[in-house]
Amino acid sequence: MPELPEVETARRGLEPWLLNQRIRSAVLRHRGMRWPVRADLPRLVAGHSIRSVGRRSKYLLLDCETGWLILHLGMSGSLRMVPAQQVPGKHDHFDLVLENGQALRLTDPRRFGAVIWEPGEPAHHKLLRGLGPEPFDAAFDAKWLHARTRGRSAPIKNVLMDSHIVCGVGNIYANESLFRAGIHPSRAAGRISLPRYARLVQEVRATLNAAIAAGGSTLRDFVQADGSPGYFQQQYFVYGRQGEACRRCGTPVRGVRIGQRSAFYCPRCQK
Ligand SMILES: [Zn+2]
């Protein structure tokens, strides 16, 4: 499932192809995405230029002058640039066709992705307005985490994945950040000190930055028509490594369920 680093990698890969380009049309081959795509979308975007290619949480935001195109990759979506006349595959549900003959093509076998038109400020859209700060925002700091978690017995891993607290930290990166910060994923969020939260904020950013940097190496795949989605495989510290040796101390990594999600941790390195 695409997480924040994959979406940021896509944003960086696509920006040079899209920025300041004029839109010729849009092609809807399957309107039944996570939410039905507006049938009049082609008319709404035609003739406008893309003024910016942004990201909020896992949403890509294209400023199309009279409104915003909000794209989400869902569980299985990917975006790439293709020549507009290239024959679409079975799962190529949406094209944004540019005047220069290129097209931004959304491929999504499971159709949990989203293509949304927002005529106003995207920050006010119902999917975005309740979101907490971005992990790289100054507003996401130790004081914020500390203040928001006093009296809470919820496991820190769940809190880190709560988009009202900080957005875009999915399961993989929550597990990895907690390992790097030496914090046990089940620890009650209300019982973590300010200095430990300062460390956690650093490690969330370091983990995401490393993933974005790794994504950079496959950036070319993202914008070629070879069908490869461009996601990277990272060397994880704990994620998916149950029973394998901790990379720091050699103790076998444990796997448990916390809430509905899998958690992985080193019982020696994480307290
Ligand atoms: Zn360890």
Side-chain angles (χ1 to χ4, degrees), residues 42-77:
R43 184 179 60 76
L44 292 168
V45 296
H48 297 298
S49 293
I50 300 170
R51 291 194 298 199
S52 68
V53 181
R55 179 188 59 74
R56 175 79 166 115
S57 185
K58 298 200 286 183
Y59 296 91
L60 275 177
L61 309 175
L62 306 186
D63 179 352
C64 303
E65 298 185 304
T66 52
W68 295 72
L69 198 56
I70 303 177
L71 302 173
H72 193 275
L73 298 176
M75 307 285 285
S76 58

Side-chain angles (χ1 to χ4, degrees), residues 179 245-251 253 266-270:
F179 173 83
C246 169
R247 296 193 199 283
R248 290 216 171 121
C249 76
T251 304
V253 170
C266 170
R268 188 161 168 201
C269 293
Q270 293 173 256

Side-chain angles (χ1 to χ4, degrees), residues 182-195:
I183 298 173
H184 195 292
S186 301
R187 174 163 287 275
R191 302 194 58 193
I192 295 172
S193 67
L194 193 61

